Amino acid sequence: DVPGSALMRLAVSRGFRVVVMERRSHALPLKSPRWNLFGDSEDFEEVYNIVQSKLVGAPMFWIGLSSGSKLIVEGLGKFDDRRKR
């Protein structure tokens, strides 16, 4: 079982829509030089904006497994601050 997949299946069974984001170069070769061991917070912001535009007003719950939790905290901190300006 891939880490987190049981949690995702449970969320779907309870009616949640689930989005999974893999960090750059996790599954495919890197196409640009940006890379971070824990993931790129700019990528996280892009995913956030896409989900927000498709599911306007829908509540969001972010879950990060292992190093993914660092990406969520960093990403939300960075772009939430930019949104408030």
Side-chain angles (χ1 to χ4, degrees):
D1 197 34
V2 176
S5 60
L7 179 60
M8 297 304 107
R9 284 193 298 275
L10 177 63
V12 169
S13 75
R14 302 242 171 123
F16 287 88
R17 290 173 272 197
V18 174
V19 176
V20 176
M21 181 183 138
E22 291 185 322
R23 66 176 166 77
R24 288 179 185 228
S25 79
H26 187 71
L28 299 171
L30 204 57
K31 293 181 180 179
S32 68
R34 291 181 67 151
W35 182 82
N36 183 306
L37 181 62
F38 299 109
D40 189 311
S41 61
E42 300 295 323
D43 293 343
F44 178 73
E45 182 176 4
E46 187 172 342
V47 169
Y48 175 90
N49 290 331
I50 290 169
V51 171
Q52 278 286 71
S53 72
K54 293 184 182 296
L55 304 171
V56 178
M60 289 193 197
F61 303 92
W62 297 93
I63 298 171
L65 302 175
S66 191
S67 60
S69 58
K70 181 255 187 209
L71 179 63
I72 291 172
V73 170
E74 178 184 2
L76 286 174
K78 279 183 176 179
F79 68 83
D80 194 46
D81 189 44
R82 283 198 300 267
R83 260 185 334 128
K84 290 178 182 175
R85 290 185 204 153

Coordinates of all heavy atoms in Angstrom, one line a residue:
D1 N 0.8 -1.2 0.0 CA 0.0 0.0 0.0 C 0.9 1.2 0.0 O 1.8 1.4 0.8 CB -0.9 0.0 1.2 CG -2.1 0.9 1.1 OD1 -2.6 1.1 0.0 OD2 -2.5 1.4 2.2
V2 N 0.7 2.1 -0.9 CA 1.4 3.4 -1.0 C 1.0 4.2 0.2 O -0.2 4.3 0.5 CB 1.1 4.1 -2.3 CG1 1.8 5.5 -2.4 CG2 1.5 3.3 -3.5
P3 N 2.0 4.8 0.9 CA 1.7 5.7 2.0 C 0.6 6.7 1.7 O 0.7 7.4 0.7 CB 3.0 6.3 2.4 CG 4.0 5.4 1.9 CD 3.4 4.8 0.6
G4 N -0.4 6.8 2.5 CA -1.5 7.7 2.3 C -2.7 7.2 1.5 O -3.7 7.8 1.5
S5 N -2.5 6.1 0.7 CA -3.6 5.7 -0.2 C -4.8 5.2 0.6 O -5.9 5.4 0.2 CB -3.1 4.6 -1.2 OG -2.6 3.5 -0.5
A6 N -4.6 4.6 1.8 CA -5.7 4.2 2.6 C -6.5 5.4 3.1 O -7.8 5.4 3.1 CB -5.3 3.4 3.8
L7 N -5.8 6.5 3.4 CA -6.5 7.7 3.8 C -7.3 8.3 2.7 O -8.4 8.8 2.9 CB -5.4 8.7 4.4 CG -6.0 10.0 4.8 CD1 -6.9 9.9 6.0 CD2 -4.8 10.9 5.2
M8 N -6.7 8.3 1.5 CA -7.4 8.9 0.3 C -8.6 8.0 0.0 O -9.7 8.6 -0.3 CB -6.4 8.9 -0.9 CG -5.2 9.8 -0.7 SD -5.6 11.5 -0.3 CE -5.1 11.6 1.4
R9 N -8.5 6.7 0.1 CA -9.7 5.9 -0.2 C -10.8 6.2 0.8 O -12.0 6.2 0.5 CB -9.3 4.4 -0.2 CG -8.6 3.9 -1.4 CD -8.5 2.4 -1.5 NE -7.8 1.8 -0.4 CZ -6.4 1.7 -0.4 NH1 -5.7 2.1 -1.4 NH2 -5.8 1.1 0.6
L10 N -10.4 6.3 2.1 CA -11.4 6.6 3.1 C -12.1 8.0 2.8 O -13.3 8.1 2.9 CB -10.7 6.7 4.5 CG -11.6 7.1 5.7 CD1 -12.7 6.0 5.9 CD2 -10.8 7.2 7.0
A11 N -11.3 9.0 2.5 CA -11.8 10.3 2.2 C -12.8 10.2 1.0 O -13.9 10.8 1.1 CB -10.7 11.3 1.8
V12 N -12.5 9.5 0.0 CA -13.4 9.4 -1.2 C -14.7 8.6 -0.8 O -15.8 9.0 -1.2 CB -12.7 8.6 -2.4 CG1 -13.6 8.2 -3.4 CG2 -11.6 9.5 -2.9
S13 N -14.5 7.6 0.0 CA -15.7 6.8 0.5 C -16.7 7.7 1.3 O -17.8 7.4 1.4 CB -15.3 5.6 1.3 OG -14.9 5.9 2.6
R14 N -16.1 8.8 1.9 CA -17.0 9.7 2.7 C -17.4 10.9 1.9 O -17.9 11.9 2.5 CB -16.2 10.1 3.9 CG -15.7 8.9 4.8 CD -16.3 8.9 6.1 NE -16.1 7.7 6.8 CZ -15.4 7.6 8.0 NH1 -15.0 8.7 8.6 NH2 -15.3 6.4 8.6
G15 N -17.2 10.9 0.6 CA -17.7 12.0 -0.2 C -16.7 13.2 -0.5 O -17.1 14.1 -1.1
F16 N -15.5 13.0 -0.1 CA -14.5 14.1 -0.4 C -14.0 13.9 -1.8 O -13.8 12.8 -2.3 CB -13.4 14.0 0.7 CG -13.7 14.5 2.0 CD1 -14.2 13.7 3.0 CD2 -13.5 15.8 2.4 CE1 -14.5 14.1 4.2 CE2 -13.8 16.3 3.6 CZ -14.4 15.4 4.6
R17 N -13.6 15.1 -2.4 CA -12.9 15.0 -3.6 C -11.4 15.1 -3.3 O -11.0 16.0 -2.5 CB -13.3 16.2 -4.5 CG -14.7 16.0 -5.1 CD -15.1 17.2 -5.8 NE -15.7 18.1 -4.8 CZ -16.5 19.1 -5.1 NH1 -16.8 19.4 -6.4 NH2 -17.1 19.8 -4.2
V18 N -10.6 14.3 -3.8 CA -9.2 14.2 -3.4 C -8.3 14.6 -4.6 O -8.5 14.2 -5.7 CB -8.8 12.7 -3.0 CG1 -7.4 12.6 -2.7 CG2 -9.7 12.3 -1.8
V19 N -7.3 15.4 -4.3 CA -6.2 15.8 -5.2 C -4.9 15.4 -4.6 O -4.6 15.7 -3.5 CB -6.2 17.3 -5.4 CG1 -5.1 17.7 -6.3 CG2 -7.6 17.8 -6.0
V20 N -4.1 14.6 -5.4 CA -2.8 14.2 -5.0 C -1.8 14.9 -5.8 O -1.9 14.9 -7.0 CB -2.7 12.7 -5.1 CG1 -1.3 12.2 -4.7 CG2 -3.7 11.9 -4.3
M21 N -0.8 15.5 -5.1 CA 0.3 16.2 -5.8 C 1.6 15.5 -5.5 O 1.9 15.4 -4.3 CB 0.3 17.6 -5.3 CG 1.4 18.5 -6.0 SD 1.4 20.1 -5.3 CE 3.1 20.4 -5.1
E22 N 2.3 15.1 -6.5 CA 3.6 14.6 -6.3 C 4.6 15.7 -6.6 O 4.4 16.5 -7.4 CB 3.9 13.4 -7.3 CG 3.0 12.2 -7.0 CD 3.4 11.1 -7.9 OE1 3.7 11.3 -9.1 OE2 3.4 9.9 -7.5
R23 N 5.7 15.6 -5.9 CA 6.8 16.6 -6.1 C 7.4 16.4 -7.4 O 7.4 15.4 -8.0 CB 7.8 16.7 -4.9 CG 8.6 15.4 -4.8 CD 9.7 15.6 -3.7 NE 10.3 14.3 -3.4 CZ 11.2 13.7 -4.2 NH1 11.6 14.3 -5.3 NH2 11.7 12.6 -3.8
R24 N 8.0 17.5 -7.9 CA 8.8 17.5 -9.2 C 9.8 16.3 -9.2 O 10.4 16.1 -8.2 CB 9.5 18.8 -9.4 CG 8.7 19.9 -9.8 CD 9.5 21.1 -10.0 NE 8.7 22.3 -10.2 CZ 8.8 23.2 -11.1 NH1 9.9 23.0 -12.0 NH2 8.0 24.2 -11.3
S25 N 9.8 15.7 -10.3 CA 10.8 14.6 -10.6 C 10.5 13.3 -9.8 O 11.3 12.4 -9.8 CB 12.2 15.0 -10.4 OG 12.6 15.0 -9.1
H26 N 9.4 13.3 -9.1 CA 9.0 12.0 -8.3 C 8.7 10.9 -9.3 O 9.1 9.8 -9.0 CB 7.9 12.3 -7.3 CG 7.6 11.2 -6.4 ND1 8.5 10.8 -5.4 CD2 6.6 10.3 -6.4 CE1 8.0 9.8 -4.8 NE2 6.9 9.4 -5.3
A27 N 7.9 11.2 -10.3 CA 7.5 10.2 -11.2 C 8.0 10.3 -12.6 O 8.1 9.4 -13.4 CB 5.9 10.1 -11.2
L28 N 8.3 11.6 -13.0 CA 8.8 11.9 -14.3 C 10.1 12.6 -14.3 O 10.4 13.3 -13.3 CB 7.7 12.7 -15.1 CG 6.4 12.1 -15.3 CD1 5.4 13.1 -15.8 CD2 6.5 10.9 -16.2
P29 N 10.9 12.6 -15.3 CA 12.1 13.4 -15.3 C 11.9 14.9 -15.2 O 10.9 15.4 -15.6 CB 12.8 13.1 -16.7 CG 12.0 11.9 -17.2 CD 10.7 11.9 -16.6
L30 N 12.8 15.5 -14.6 CA 12.7 17.0 -14.3 C 12.9 17.7 -15.6 O 13.8 17.5 -16.4 CB 13.8 17.4 -13.4 CG 13.7 18.6 -12.6 CD1 12.4 18.6 -11.7 CD2 14.9 18.8 -11.6
K31 N 11.9 18.6 -15.9 CA 12.0 19.4 -17.2 C 12.5 20.8 -17.0 O 12.9 21.5 -17.9 CB 10.6 19.6 -17.8 CG 10.0 18.2 -18.3 CD 8.6 18.4 -18.9 CE 8.1 17.1 -19.4 NZ 6.8 17.2 -20.0
S32 N 12.6 21.2 -15.7 CA 13.2 22.6 -15.4 C 14.1 22.4 -14.2 O 14.0 21.4 -13.5 CB 12.1 23.6 -15.1 OG 11.4 23.2 -13.9
P33 N 15.1 23.3 -14.1 CA 16.1 23.1 -13.0 C 15.6 23.3 -11.6 O 16.3 23.0 -10.7 CB 17.1 24.2 -13.4 CG 16.4 25.2 -14.1 CD 15.3 24.5 -14.9
R34 N 14.4 23.8 -11.4 CA 13.9 23.9 -10.0 C 13.6 22.6 -9.4 O 12.9 21.8 -9.9 CB 12.6 24.7 -10.0 CG 12.8 26.2 -10.4 CD 11.5 26.9 -10.4 NE 11.1 27.0 -9.0 CZ 10.4 27.9 -8.5 NH1 10.0 28.9 -9.3 NH2 10.0 28.0 -7.3
W35 N 14.2 22.4 -8.2 CA 14.1 21.1 -7.5 C 14.3 21.4 -6.0 O 15.1 22.2 -5.7 CB 15.0 20.1 -8.0 CG 14.9 18.7 -7.4 CD1 13.9 17.8 -7.7 CD2 15.6 18.2 -6.3 NE1 14.0 16.7 -6.8 CE2 15.1 16.9 -6.0 CE3 16.6 18.7 -5.5 CZ2 15.5 16.2 -4.9 CZ3 17.1 17.9 -4.5 CH2 16.6 16.6 -4.2
N36 N 13.5 20.7 -5.2 CA 13.7 20.8 -3.8 C 13.4 19.4 -3.2 O 12.5 18.8 -3.6 CB 12.7 21.8 -3.2 CG 12.9 22.1 -1.7 OD1 12.8 21.1 -0.9 ND2 13.1 23.3 -1.4
L37 N 14.2 19.0 -2.2 CA 14.1 17.7 -1.6 C 12.6 17.5 -1.1 O 12.1 16.4 -1.2 CB 15.1 17.5 -0.5 CG 15.1 16.2 0.2 CD1 15.4 15.0 -0.8 CD2 16.0 16.2 1.4
F38 N 12.0 18.5 -0.6 CA 10.7 18.4 0.0 C 9.6 18.8 -1.0 O 8.4 18.8 -0.6 CB 10.6 19.1 1.3 CG 11.6 18.6 2.3 CD1 12.7 19.4 2.6 CD2 11.4 17.4 2.9 CE1 13.6 18.9 3.6 CE2 12.3 16.9 3.8 CZ 13.4 17.7 4.2
G39 N 9.9 19.3 -2.1 CA 8.9 19.8 -3.0 C 9.0 21.3 -3.2 O 9.5 22.0 -2.3
D40 N 8.4 21.9 -4.2 CA 8.5 23.3 -4.5 C 7.2 24.0 -4.1 O 6.2 23.6 -4.6 CB 8.8 23.5 -6.0 CG 9.1 24.9 -6.4 OD1 8.4 25.8 -6.0 OD2 10.1 25.1 -7.1
S41 N 7.3 24.9 -3.2 CA 6.1 25.6 -2.7 C 5.4 26.4 -3.9 O 4.2 26.6 -3.8 CB 6.4 26.5 -1.6 OG 7.3 27.5 -1.9
E42 N 6.1 26.8 -4.9 CA 5.5 27.4 -6.0 C 4.5 26.4 -6.8 O 3.4 26.8 -7.2 CB 6.5 28.0 -7.0 CG 7.4 29.0 -6.4 CD 6.8 30.3 -5.9 OE1 5.8 30.7 -6.6 OE2 7.2 30.8 -4.9
D43 N 4.9 25.2 -6.9 CA 4.1 24.2 -7.5 C 2.8 24.0 -6.6 O 1.7 23.9 -7.2 CB 4.8 22.8 -7.6 CG 5.9 22.9 -8.6 OD1 6.0 23.8 -9.4 OD2 6.8 22.0 -8.5
F44 N 3.0 24.0 -5.3 CA 1.8 23.9 -4.4 C 0.8 25.0 -4.6 O -0.4 24.8 -4.7 CB 2.3 23.8 -3.0 CG 1.2 23.7 -1.9 CD1 0.6 22.5 -1.8 CD2 0.9 24.8 -1.2 CE1 -0.5 22.4 -0.8 CE2 -0.1 24.7 -0.2 CZ -0.8 23.5 -0.1
E45 N 1.4 26.2 -4.7 CA 0.5 27.4 -5.0 C -0.3 27.2 -6.3 O -1.5 27.6 -6.3 CB 1.3 28.7 -5.0 CG 0.4 29.9 -5.1 CD 1.2 31.2 -5.1 OE1 2.4 31.2 -4.9 OE2 0.5 32.3 -5.1
E46 N 0.4 26.7 -7.3 CA -0.3 26.6 -8.6 C -1.4 25.5 -8.5 O -2.5 25.7 -9.0 CB 0.7 26.1 -9.6 CG 0.1 26.1 -11.0 CD 1.1 25.8 -12.1 OE1 2.3 26.0 -11.9 OE2 0.7 25.4 -13.2
V47 N -1.2 24.4 -7.8 CA -2.2 23.4 -7.6 C -3.4 24.0 -6.8 O -4.6 23.9 -7.1 CB -1.7 22.2 -6.8 CG1 -2.8 21.3 -6.4 CG2 -0.7 21.4 -7.8
Y48 N -3.1 24.8 -5.7 CA -4.1 25.4 -4.9 C -5.0 26.3 -5.8 O -6.2 26.3 -5.7 CB -3.4 26.3 -3.8 CG -4.4 27.1 -3.0 CD1 -4.9 26.6 -1.8 CD2 -4.7 28.4 -3.4 CE1 -5.8 27.4 -1.1 CE2 -5.5 29.2 -2.6 CZ -6.1 28.7 -1.4 OH -6.9 29.4 -0.7
N49 N -4.4 27.2 -6.6 CA -5.1 28.1 -7.5 C -6.0 27.4 -8.5 O -7.1 27.8 -8.7 CB -4.2 29.1 -8.2 CG -3.6 30.1 -7.2 OD1 -4.2 30.4 -6.2 ND2 -2.4 30.5 -7.5
I50 N -5.5 26.3 -9.0 CA -6.3 25.5 -10.0 C -7.5 24.9 -9.3 O -8.6 24.9 -9.8 CB -5.4 24.4 -10.7 CG1 -4.4 25.1 -11.6 CG2 -6.3 23.4 -11.4 CD1 -3.3 24.1 -12.1
V51 N -7.3 24.3 -8.1 CA -8.4 23.7 -7.4 C -9.4 24.7 -7.0 O -10.6 24.5 -7.2 CB -7.9 22.9 -6.2 CG1 -9.0 22.4 -5.3 CG2 -7.0 21.7 -6.6
Q52 N -8.9 25.9 -6.5 CA -9.9 27.0 -6.1 C -10.7 27.4 -7.3 O -11.9 27.7 -7.2 CB -9.1 28.2 -5.6 CG -8.7 28.0 -4.1 CD -9.9 28.2 -3.2 OE1 -10.8 27.4 -3.2 NE2 -9.9 29.3 -2.5
S53 N -10.1 27.5 -8.5 CA -10.8 28.0 -9.7 C -11.9 27.0 -10.2 O -12.9 27.3 -10.7 CB -9.9 28.3 -10.8 OG -9.3 27.2 -11.4
K54 N -11.6 25.7 -10.0 CA -12.5 24.7 -10.4 C -13.6 24.3 -9.4 O -14.7 23.9 -9.7 CB -11.8 23.4 -10.8 CG -10.9 23.5 -12.0 CD -10.2 22.2 -12.4 CE -9.3 22.4 -13.5 NZ -9.9 22.8 -14.8
L55 N -13.3 24.5 -8.1 CA -14.2 24.2 -7.0 C -14.5 25.5 -6.2 O -14.2 25.5 -5.0 CB -13.7 23.1 -6.2 CG -13.4 21.8 -6.9 CD1 -12.7 20.8 -6.0 CD2 -14.6 21.2 -7.4
V56 N -15.0 26.5 -6.8 CA -15.1 27.8 -6.1 C -16.0 27.7 -4.9 O -17.1 27.2 -4.9 CB -15.8 28.9 -7.1 CG1 -16.0 30.2 -6.4 CG2 -15.0 29.0 -8.4
G57 N -15.4 28.2 -3.8 CA -16.1 28.2 -2.5 C -16.1 26.9 -1.7 O -16.6 26.8 -0.6
A58 N -15.6 25.8 -2.3 CA -15.5 24.5 -1.7 C -14.5 24.6 -0.5 O -13.4 25.1 -0.7 CB -15.2 23.4 -2.6
P59 N -14.8 24.0 0.6 CA -13.8 23.9 1.7 C -12.7 23.0 1.3 O -12.8 22.1 0.6 CB -14.6 23.4 2.9 CG -15.7 22.6 2.3 CD -16.1 23.3 1.0
M60 N -11.5 23.4 1.8 CA -10.3 22.6 1.5 C -9.6 22.1 2.8 O -9.6 22.9 3.7 CB -9.3 23.4 0.7 CG -9.7 23.7 -0.7 SD -8.2 24.3 -1.6 CE -9.0 25.0 -3.0
F61 N -9.2 20.9 2.8 CA -8.5 20.3 3.9 C -7.2 19.8 3.3 O -7.2 19.0 2.4 CB -9.2 19.2 4.5 CG -10.6 19.6 5.0 CD1 -11.7 19.5 4.2 CD2 -10.7 20.2 6.3 CE1 -13.0 19.9 4.7 CE2 -12.0 20.6 6.7 CZ -13.1 20.5 5.9
W62 N -6.0 20.3 3.8 CA -4.7 19.9 3.3 C -4.1 18.9 4.2 O -4.0 19.1 5.4 CB -3.8 21.1 3.1 CG -4.4 22.1 2.1 CD1 -5.2 23.2 2.4 CD2 -4.2 22.1 0.7 NE1 -5.5 23.8 1.2 CE2 -4.9 23.1 0.2 CE3 -3.5 21.2 -0.2 CZ2 -5.0 23.4 -1.2 CZ3 -3.6 21.5 -1.5 CH2 -4.3 22.6 -2.0
I63 N -3.6 17.8 3.7 CA -2.9 16.8 4.4 C -1.6 16.5 3.8 O -1.6 16.2 2.6 CB -3.8 15.5 4.5 CG1 -5.1 15.8 5.2 CG2 -3.0 14.4 5.2 CD1 -6.1 14.6 5.1
G64 N -0.5 16.6 4.5 CA 0.8 16.3 4.0 C 1.3 15.1 4.8 O 1.3 15.0 6.0
L65 N 1.8 14.1 4.0 CA 2.4 12.9 4.7 C 3.9 13.1 4.6 O 4.5 13.4 3.6 CB 2.0 11.7 3.9 CG 0.5 11.4 3.8 CD1 0.2 10.2 3.0 CD2 -0.1 11.3 5.2
S66 N 4.5 12.9 5.8 CA 6.0 12.9 5.9 C 6.4 14.3 5.5 O 6.0 15.3 6.0 CB 6.6 11.8 5.1 OG 8.0 11.7 5.4
S67 N 7.4 14.4 4.5 CA 7.9 15.7 4.1 C 6.9 16.6 3.4 O 7.0 17.8 3.3 CB 9.1 15.5 3.2 OG 8.8 14.8 2.1
G68 N 5.8 16.0 3.0 CA 4.7 16.7 2.4 C 4.0 17.7 3.3 O 3.5 18.8 2.9
S69 N 4.1 17.4 4.6 CA 3.6 18.4 5.6 C 4.4 19.7 5.6 O 3.8 20.8 5.8 CB 3.5 17.8 7.0 OG 4.8 17.4 7.4
K70 N 5.7 19.6 5.4 CA 6.5 20.8 5.3 C 6.1 21.6 4.1 O 6.0 22.9 4.2 CB 8.0 20.4 5.2 CG 9.0 21.6 5.2 CD 9.5 21.7 3.8 CE 10.6 22.8 3.7 NZ 10.6 23.4 2.4
L71 N 5.8 21.0 3.0 CA 5.4 21.7 1.8 C 4.1 22.5 2.0 O 4.0 23.6 1.6 CB 5.3 20.7 0.6 CG 4.9 21.3 -0.7 CD1 5.9 22.3 -1.2 CD2 4.6 20.2 -1.7
I72 N 3.2 21.9 2.7 CA 1.9 22.6 2.9 C 2.1 23.8 3.8 O 1.6 24.9 3.5 CB 0.9 21.6 3.5 CG1 0.5 20.5 2.5 CG2 -0.3 22.3 4.1 CD1 -0.4 19.4 3.0
V73 N 2.8 23.6 4.9 CA 3.0 24.7 5.9 C 3.8 25.9 5.2 O 3.4 27.0 5.2 CB 3.8 24.2 7.1 CG1 4.2 25.4 8.0 CG2 2.9 23.3 7.9
E74 N 4.8 25.5 4.5 CA 5.6 26.5 3.8 C 4.8 27.2 2.7 O 4.8 28.4 2.5 CB 6.9 25.9 3.2 CG 7.7 26.9 2.4 CD 8.9 26.3 1.7 OE1 9.1 25.0 1.8 OE2 9.7 27.0 1.0
G75 N 4.1 26.4 1.9 CA 3.4 26.9 0.7 C 2.2 27.8 1.2 O 2.0 28.9 0.7
L76 N 1.4 27.4 2.2 CA 0.3 28.2 2.6 C 0.8 29.5 3.3 O 0.3 30.5 3.1 CB -0.5 27.4 3.7 CG -1.4 26.3 3.1 CD1 -2.1 25.5 4.2 CD2 -2.4 26.9 2.1
G77 N 1.9 29.4 4.0 CA 2.5 30.6 4.6 C 2.9 31.6 3.6 O 2.6 32.8 3.7
K78 N 3.6 31.2 2.5 CA 4.1 32.1 1.5 C 3.0 32.7 0.7 O 2.9 33.9 0.6 CB 5.0 31.3 0.5 CG 6.4 31.1 1.0 CD 7.2 30.4 -0.1 CE 8.7 30.2 0.3 NZ 9.4 29.6 -0.8
F79 N 2.1 31.9 0.1 CA 1.2 32.5 -0.8 C -0.1 33.1 -0.1 O -0.7 34.0 -0.6 CB 0.8 31.6 -2.0 CG 0.0 30.4 -1.7 CD1 -1.4 30.4 -1.6 CD2 0.6 29.2 -1.6 CE1 -2.1 29.3 -1.3 CE2 -0.1 28.0 -1.4 CZ -1.5 28.1 -1.3
D80 N -0.4 32.6 1.1 CA -1.4 33.3 1.9 C -1.0 34.7 2.2 O -1.8 35.6 2.2 CB -1.8 32.5 3.1 CG -3.1 32.9 3.7 OD1 -4.1 33.1 3.0 OD2 -3.2 33.1 4.9
D81 N 0.2 34.9 2.6 CA 0.7 36.2 2.9 C 0.6 37.1 1.6 O 0.3 38.3 1.7 CB 2.2 36.1 3.4 CG 2.7 37.4 3.9 OD1 1.9 38.1 4.6 OD2 3.8 37.8 3.6
R82 N 1.0 36.6 0.4 CA 0.9 37.4 -0.8 C -0.5 37.7 -1.1 O -0.8 38.8 -1.6 CB 1.5 36.6 -2.0 CG 3.0 36.6 -2.0 CD 3.6 36.2 -3.3 NE 3.2 34.9 -3.8 CZ 3.9 33.8 -3.6 NH1 5.0 33.9 -2.9 NH2 3.5 32.6 -4.0
R83 N -1.5 36.8 -0.9 CA -2.9 37.0 -1.1 C -3.4 38.2 -0.3 O -4.3 38.9 -0.7 CB -3.7 35.8 -0.8 CG -4.1 35.0 -2.0 CD -5.0 33.8 -1.8 NE -4.9 33.3 -0.4 CZ -6.0 33.1 0.4 NH1 -7.2 33.4 0.0 NH2 -5.8 32.5 1.6
K84 N -2.9 38.3 0.9 CA -3.5 39.3 1.8 C -3.0 40.7 1.5 O -3.6 41.7 1.9 CB -3.0 39.0 3.3 CG -3.7 37.8 3.8 CD -3.3 37.5 5.2 CE -3.9 36.2 5.7 NZ -3.4 35.8 7.0
R85 N -1.9 40.9 0.7 CA -1.4 42.2 0.3 C -2.3 42.9 -0.7 O -3.0 42.4 -1.5 CB 0.0 42.0 -0.3 CG 1.0 41.7 0.8 CD 2.4 41.7 0.3 NE 3.2 40.8 1.1 CZ 4.2 40.2 0.7 NH1 4.6 40.3 -0.5 NH2 4.9 39.4 1.6

